[in-house]
Coordinates of all heavy atoms in Angstrom, one line a residue:
H37 N 66.2 142.8 174.1 CA 64.9 142.8 173.4 C 63.8 142.2 174.2 O 64.0 141.2 175.0 CB 65.1 141.9 172.1 CG 66.2 142.4 171.2 ND1 66.0 143.3 170.2 CD2 67.5 142.1 171.1 CE1 67.1 143.6 169.6 NE2 68.0 142.9 170.1
E43 N 61.2 143.8 170.3 CA 61.4 145.3 170.5 C 62.6 145.5 171.4 O 62.7 144.8 172.4 CB 60.1 145.9 171.1 CG 60.2 147.4 171.3 CD 60.0 148.2 170.0 OE1 59.3 147.7 169.1 OE2 60.6 149.2 169.9
P50 N 78.1 147.7 179.9 CA 79.1 147.0 180.8 C 80.0 148.1 181.6 O 80.4 149.0 181.0 CB 80.0 146.2 179.8 CG 79.2 146.1 178.6 CD 78.4 147.3 178.5
V56 N 75.0 148.2 183.6 CA 74.0 149.3 183.9 C 72.9 149.2 182.8 O 73.2 149.3 181.7 CB 74.6 150.7 183.9 CG1 73.6 151.8 184.1 CG2 75.7 150.8 184.9
T59 N 68.0 153.0 179.0 CA 66.9 153.1 178.0 C 67.5 153.1 176.6 O 68.7 153.2 176.5 CB 66.1 154.4 178.2 OG1 67.0 155.5 178.0 CG2 65.5 154.5 179.6
L69 N 74.4 146.2 187.9 CA 73.8 145.0 188.4 C 74.4 143.8 187.7 O 75.0 143.9 186.6 CB 72.3 145.0 188.1 CG 71.4 146.1 188.8 CD1 70.0 146.1 188.1 CD2 71.3 145.9 190.3
D79 N 63.1 144.7 181.5 CA 61.8 144.0 181.3 C 60.8 144.7 182.1 O 59.6 144.9 181.6 CB 61.9 142.5 181.7 CG 62.7 141.7 180.6 OD1 62.7 142.1 179.5 OD2 63.2 140.6 181.0
G88 N 55.7 159.0 180.1 CA 55.8 160.1 181.0 C 56.5 161.4 180.5 O 57.1 161.3 179.5
L94 N 68.1 173.3 178.5 CA 68.5 174.0 177.3 C 69.6 175.0 177.6 O 69.6 175.6 178.7 CB 67.3 174.7 176.7 CG 66.1 173.8 176.3 CD1 64.9 174.7 175.9 CD2 66.6 173.0 175.1
R112 N 69.5 158.9 167.1 CA 69.0 160.2 167.6 C 67.6 160.0 168.3 O 67.0 158.9 168.1 CB 68.8 161.2 166.5 CG 67.7 160.8 165.5 CD 67.3 162.0 164.6 NE 66.1 161.8 164.0 CZ 65.8 161.1 162.9 NH1 66.9 160.6 162.2 NH2 64.6 161.0 162.4
Y120 N 54.1 174.8 178.6 CA 53.3 176.1 178.2 C 54.1 177.3 178.7 O 53.8 178.4 178.2 CB 51.9 176.0 178.8 CG 51.1 175.0 178.1 CD1 50.8 173.8 178.6 CD2 50.5 175.4 176.8 CE1 50.1 172.9 177.9 CE2 49.7 174.5 176.1 CZ 49.5 173.2 176.7 OH 48.7 172.3 176.0
G121 N 55.0 177.2 179.6 CA 55.8 178.3 180.1 C 57.0 178.6 179.3 O 57.7 179.6 179.6
V130 N 59.7 170.3 168.0 CA 60.5 169.1 168.2 C 62.0 169.5 168.3 O 62.5 170.2 167.5 CB 60.3 168.1 167.0 CG1 61.3 166.9 167.1 CG2 58.9 167.6 167.0
D134 N 71.1 163.9 170.3 CA 72.0 162.7 170.0 C 71.7 161.6 170.9 O 71.2 161.8 172.1 CB 73.4 163.1 170.1 CG 73.9 164.1 169.1 OD1 73.3 164.0 168.0 OD2 74.8 164.8 169.3
E137 N 72.0 160.1 174.8 CA 71.7 161.5 175.2 C 72.7 161.8 176.4 O 72.7 161.0 177.3 CB 70.2 161.6 175.6 CG 69.7 163.0 175.7 CD 70.3 163.8 176.8 OE1 70.3 163.3 178.0 OE2 70.9 164.9 176.6
R140 N 71.2 165.9 179.3 CA 70.4 167.0 179.2 C 68.9 166.7 179.5 O 68.1 167.5 179.8 CB 70.4 167.7 177.9 CG 71.8 168.3 177.5 CD 71.8 168.9 176.1 NE 70.7 169.7 175.8 CZ 70.2 169.9 174.6 NH1 70.9 169.4 173.5 NH2 69.2 170.6 174.3

Side-chain angles (χ1 to χ4, degrees):
H37 300 271
E43 180 77 32
V56 175
T59 64
L69 297 169
D79 287 335
L94 297 173
R112 71 167 197 272
Y120 289 98
V130 173
D134 290 332
E137 198 290 307
R140 295 176 43 203

